[in-house]
Amino acid sequence: MCYFCGVPRVVAVALAAALLATIAASASADIEGAEFESGAWRVRMSAPKNWQLTDKTAYPSILLRMARRAPDGKMMLAAERLAPGINALGYAQRTADILRQMGFQVRSPQLHSSTGAYFIDSDGRGAFLRQAFLASGGIGYSLTLSAPDNRTRSQHLRAFDYALRSIQILRAPPPPPPAPDDEARPLEPPPSPIDPGAADQDVQP
């Protein structure tokens, strides 16, 4: 099944570029039923009912794709390393600027109060999008909904909201214990010095 055939190739590539899909790190992930988890990117998410999941994507930073039929809709979850100081609002604004440069009509970022994410609506080149952005621990997360028209996008907003609310940022694992260092080990006490007087007593005349 082609999960993003409804999105023009140029739009799919643009979205990947907007999300800086140039990350070389591999992202192992697990799908169990409607549950998705990526330990490498420290994120967990639940798919809405009747949405099919796949973690087979062409870009390393796109972690998950979801799709459904009647009405057609696609969603994808992506992650990337953020530059220091970039928060969710800055992340959303940066993507909005890229889409505007490509000719998309983009609304200004709005706060999703229950999750702290910022989301934008945009349309252009045959795609109607909603994207939400989160930032935590130097990682940016984005959830994108794509639909062929505004009405279909509106029909999928409840599913999008469900997916967004289900996103959980996992705690980073504790650092491994330091490797043993020979130089750090306590030195054995040196032998006691020899008493010259005692040595003389041991000498037989």
Side-chain angles (χ1 to χ4, degrees):
M1 181 177 181
C2 180
Y3 284 83
F4 264 66
C5 290
V7 179
R9 175 176 171 77
V10 66
V11 175
V13 173
L15 290 174
L19 300 170
L20 294 184
T22 57
I23 303 168
S26 61
S28 60
D30 294 316
I31 294 177
E32 184 174 348
E35 303 297 321
F36 166 83
E37 182 174 327
S38 172
W41 290 103
R42 308 199 325 263
V43 64
R44 180 185 297 134
M45 196 190 76
S46 301
K49 186 177 180 181
N50 299 324
W51 288 72
Q52 296 181 326
L53 290 73
T54 179
D55 59 355
K56 300 183 185 303
T57 67
Y59 300 99
S61 66
I62 299 178
L63 308 182
L64 176 70
R65 291 185 179 184
M66 299 175 286
R68 66 155 295 160
R69 299 287 188 182
D72 291 348
K74 288 88 181 175
M75 281 194 276
M76 71 179 182
L77 176 66
E80 64 166 306
R81 303 288 177 185
L82 296 178
I86 296 182
N87 56 17
L89 177 57
Y91 191 19
Q93 289 172 333
R94 186 190 66 183
T95 306
D97 290 342
I98 293 174
L99 291 174
R100 289 190 185 100
Q101 293 172 10
M102 298 182 58
F104 279 71
Q105 299 293 321
V106 186
R107 294 181 60 185
S108 297
Q110 301 179 61
L111 177 64
H112 190 270
S113 58
S114 63
T115 63
Y118 281 86
F119 68 91
I120 58 175
D121 290 334
S122 60
D123 61 88
R125 304 191 182 190
F128 288 75
L129 312 175
R130 170 165 287 193
Q131 295 170 271
F133 302 88
L134 292 159
S136 176
I139 300 177
Y141 304 92
S142 63
L143 180 66
T144 299
L145 166 68
S146 175
D149 53 63
N150 186 46
R151 180 186 179 195
T152 304
R153 178 176 61 183
S154 298
Q155 291 176 311
H156 289 313
L157 290 183
R158 180 174 293 180
F160 178 85
D161 190 70
Y162 173 90
L164 178 59
R165 290 171 183 266
S166 75
I167 293 176
Q168 300 177 46
I169 309 302
L170 307 178
R171 291 184 178 181
D181 187 352
D182 292 339
E183 296 181 357
R185 294 177 180 174
L187 298 176
E188 295 182 0
S192 301
I194 299 177
D195 185 354
D200 294 339
Q201 294 175 5
D202 294 336
V203 178
Q204 299 295 327

